[in-house]
Amino acid sequence: MPDASIDYTDIPELGEEFWKSARIVEPDRTQQVTLRVKRSVLDAYKATGKGYQSRMNAVLESYARTLRK
């Protein structure tokens, strides 16, 4: 769809105040590591298809957040 066809009427304008306090947030980078997990765990995640490592990371990240509380 070309930009000219997009309806922007329901999106509020971002004024000067917004941009004064805006800051760049870099995404959290991943780091390659060697990790030992049980074969059954790895097989279960692999069985879910492409993106299994991202799903494993999401579970670990969720748990890590509970440790910060």
Side-chain angles (χ1 to χ4, degrees):
M1 170 184 295
D3 288 350
S5 300
I6 300 172
D7 178 13
Y8 295 102
T9 57
D10 62 340
I11 301 173
E13 290 290 324
L14 300 176
E16 284 296 315
E17 279 304 310
F18 173 83
W19 294 110
K20 284 180 185 176
S21 61
R23 62 187 175 92
I24 296 175
V25 177
E26 294 288 332
D28 192 11
R29 303 276 185 226
T30 59
Q31 181 174 341
Q32 186 173 349
V33 298
T34 300
L35 177 68
R36 293 181 182 272
V37 296
K38 290 185 176 181
R39 170 63 63 184
S40 60
V41 172
L42 184 59
D43 289 346
Y45 274 93
K46 279 186 172 182
T48 64
K50 187 177 179 183
Y52 75 92
Q53 290 175 330
S54 295
R55 286 187 291 281
M56 289 177 79
N57 187 63
V59 170
L60 290 169
E61 184 176 27
S62 177
Y63 178 69
R65 284 189 188 131
T66 68
L67 299 176
R68 287 186 229 143
K69 291 181 180 179

